[in-house]
Amino acid sequence: MCLIHGKIKVIGVSRSSEYSPNHVDNDAAILEVVAEKLRDKGCEVEIWPEKEFVSKQIRTEFIFNMARDRSTIEYLKQLEDNGSVVVNSAYGVSKCMRKSMTELLIRNGFAHPVSFIVSTDSEFVPELFPCWIKRGDSHAMVKEDVVYVECKEEAEQVLADFHSRGISEAVVNEHLSGDLVKFYGVQGTDFFFSFYPTDACHSKLGLEIANGETCGYPFDKELLYQYSSKLAEIMNVPIYGGDCIISSTGEIRIIDFNDWPSFACCREEAGVKIAECIYHKVTAKLKE
């Protein structure tokens, strides 16, 4: 058991700035809120930048993390394999990479856009216009990683750009008409929050403009909660967020699912529940 002066030691791992486009401060803020709430519960908490966490080979029994760098994820997997409690699991974070996430959505029968996974050096471009082309190996790091296209020529240009940047695979999603809704949740708690990002002026890369103005189509929020809770279980990411499109008839289709978003518009409330989730997993391990 890892204790300091009788307190449980927990380490937080922050997200490198290149994985927080336009949200560096928000990502840092939610991690600090969670750290403070864990301290209120009597934990000794340190926060390490993810690359330094790896380079110094930091080891401890209990870790919460927002890491996205491939080397950090692989190191966290090693720690998990050796018995450390890691929230979110590094194995779960890997499942949130675009290609893996798309395959899981399809395999588990979730309502989602028609999607293809294509090689960026292939001549095959699905006739699915307008559509979105997204890098398959990671989350979006720059605006050029998620591109809206309306014709084959534009699609070919995007795929060529991906290939030139060393991105070998892309996910092609049909463009869905309807309201864009973001949602946040913390598994094992009563926290679930959804909102229209255009109304809240909440944007990473400014891509929401392609969906147009929000119409406020009615939809079943309980059903969205059920979808997201099931996905969190399948993907092993209890701290999660995502995006969906609500059609004019109220149909919900998931277009994105992520490990540990910024929770910027509900940070304090979310921070309490995230700390509760982590603390529960820590104490459960201690009781084993």
Side-chain angles (χ1 to χ4, degrees):
M1 186 187 304
C2 194
L3 299 174
I4 297 179
H5 308 304
K7 293 184 176 182
I8 302 168
K9 181 180 180 180
V10 186
I11 285 179
V13 183
S14 65
R15 183 173 293 162
S16 290
S17 59
E18 63 265 37
Y19 298 98
S20 294
N22 298 326
H23 276 287
V24 172
D25 292 342
N26 286 332
D27 283 348
I30 185 60
L31 202 69
E32 190 51 55
V33 169
V34 172
E36 194 56 42
K37 301 304 179 184
L38 286 170
R39 293 183 185 112
D40 290 344
K41 292 179 178 293
C43 296
E44 185 78 22
V45 183
E46 295 177 2
I47 295 180
W48 286 80
E50 62 172 306
K51 291 180 181 177
E52 191 175 352
F53 175 77
V54 175
S55 66
K56 294 193 175 181
Q57 295 287 284
I58 303 300
R59 295 176 178 271
T60 193
E61 192 172 2
F62 305 114
I63 300 165
F64 61 100
N65 91 94
M66 291 183 72
R68 288 277 174 83
D69 190 78
R70 197 174 301 276
S71 63
T72 315
I73 298 306
E74 291 307 312
Y75 180 56
L76 286 168
K77 286 179 181 178
Q78 293 176 28
L79 296 179
E80 284 188 69
D81 291 345
N82 287 317
S84 292
V85 173
V86 180
V87 185
N88 285 316
S89 164
Y91 288 98
V93 175
S94 292
K95 290 178 183 178
C96 292
M97 302 303 178
R98 189 81 60 183
K99 176 186 174 183
S100 299
M101 179 200 69
T102 301
E103 291 172 336
L104 281 165
L105 285 172
I106 294 170
R107 190 181 309 138
N108 289 279
F110 285 92
H112 66 285
V114 174
S115 302
F116 294 88
I117 297 168
V118 300
S119 172
T120 59
D121 64 356
S122 170
E123 294 183 359
F124 171 69
V125 179
E127 293 290 336
L128 202 63
F129 307 110
C131 66
W132 294 85
I133 302 181
K134 309 171 181 180
R135 69 180 298 164
D137 62 339
S138 177
H139 303 79
M141 298 168 64
V142 295
K143 189 172 184 178
E144 292 76 18
D145 289 343
V146 179
V147 186
Y148 175 76
V149 302
E150 296 183 324
C151 63
K152 183 177 181 180
E153 291 72 22
E154 290 179 352
E156 289 173 341
Q157 290 172 9
V158 172
L159 292 173
D161 172 66
F162 279 14
H163 187 64
S164 71
R165 292 193 284 131
I167 301 168
S168 62
E169 291 182 302
V171 173
V172 180
N173 297 144
E174 69 170 321
H175 175 69
L176 300 175
S177 297
D179 289 340
L180 176 64
V181 172
K182 294 190 77 71
F183 56 88
Y184 299 142
V186 182
Q187 199 176 32
T189 76
D190 59 359
F191 179 83
F192 186 75
F193 185 87
S194 63
F195 66 103
Y196 299 110
T198 49
D199 293 352
C201 298
H202 179 95
S203 177
K204 268 191 176 183
L205 302 170
L207 301 171
E208 296 82 2
I209 192 171
N211 290 90
E213 293 185 5
T214 299
C215 295
Y217 297 131
F219 67 98
D220 188 339
K221 292 186 178 180
E222 176 61 28
L223 184 59
L224 175 58
Y225 169 70
Q226 291 174 15
Y227 284 167
S228 60
S229 296
K230 183 179 177 182
L231 259 175
E233 184 71 30
I234 290 169
M235 301 182 82
N236 194 17
V237 283
I239 304 163
Y240 65 86
D243 301 81
C244 66
I245 297 293
I246 309 298
S247 74
S248 59
T249 59
E251 182 182 5
I252 301 168
R253 283 181 282 185
I254 305 294
I255 60 172
D256 202 4
F257 195 85
N258 295 309
D259 57 286
W260 204 320
S262 67
F263 295 92
C265 54
C266 51
R267 184 182 300 135
E268 286 297 322
E269 181 183 359
V272 171
K273 298 301 182 177
I274 294 169
E276 181 182 308
C277 171
I278 295 166
Y279 190 73
H280 173 75
K281 293 181 181 296
V282 167
T283 55
K285 175 70 172 181
L286 292 173
K287 291 175 183 177
E288 291 181 355

